[in-house]
Amino acid sequence: MTEPVIASMAEVRSRLADVLDRAHREETPTIITRRGKQEAVVIDIEEYRRLAQLAEATEDAWLNRLADDAEAEGQEGSLSLEEMAALLRTHHA
């Protein structure tokens, strides 16, 4: 992936096809700004899927590590992996 291009919402609106082509063909993300503030990023769908899988695998590994640590410590009232995942999801919602 190359360095992202920064473009305003107006620029992206007027050149959306170019932004999508750049994301797909050149693997170059576009950071969209609104009133000078970075708001969103356009990336290729395959890169998005890769990042989503990576995030899920990282979360699973972290939850497994927490469960292993709790089990190793023999803490009473420790939670199962499924219970921890449910708690985390409610905190992120």
Side-chain angles (χ1 to χ4, degrees):
M1 186 181 314
T2 61
E3 285 295 311
V5 171
I6 299 175
S8 69
M9 181 108 70
E11 291 170 312
V12 171
R13 248 190 247 122
S14 68
R15 302 186 56 88
L16 183 57
D18 293 336
V19 169
L20 295 176
D21 287 344
R22 184 171 45 234
H24 180 68
R25 291 191 186 117
E26 299 172 26
E27 297 180 354
T28 301
T30 299
I31 297 173
I32 302 170
T33 62
R34 180 169 37 189
R35 296 183 185 101
K37 181 180 174 195
Q38 295 181 351
E39 295 282 337
V41 178
V42 176
I43 59 173
D44 180 62
I45 189 66
E46 291 306 319
E47 180 66 5
Y48 168 78
R49 288 179 180 139
R50 186 188 73 76
L51 291 170
Q53 286 177 339
L54 180 61
E56 185 175 330
T58 301
E59 181 180 22
D60 287 348
W62 178 68
L63 290 172
N64 284 328
R65 197 167 40 251
L66 286 176
D68 291 345
D69 290 348
E71 186 177 337
E73 291 176 14
Q75 297 176 353
E76 277 194 36
S78 64
L79 302 175
S80 70
L81 179 60
E82 292 79 15
E83 291 168 323
M84 279 192 277
L87 281 173
L88 285 170
R89 286 188 187 97
T90 59
H91 289 301
H92 289 294

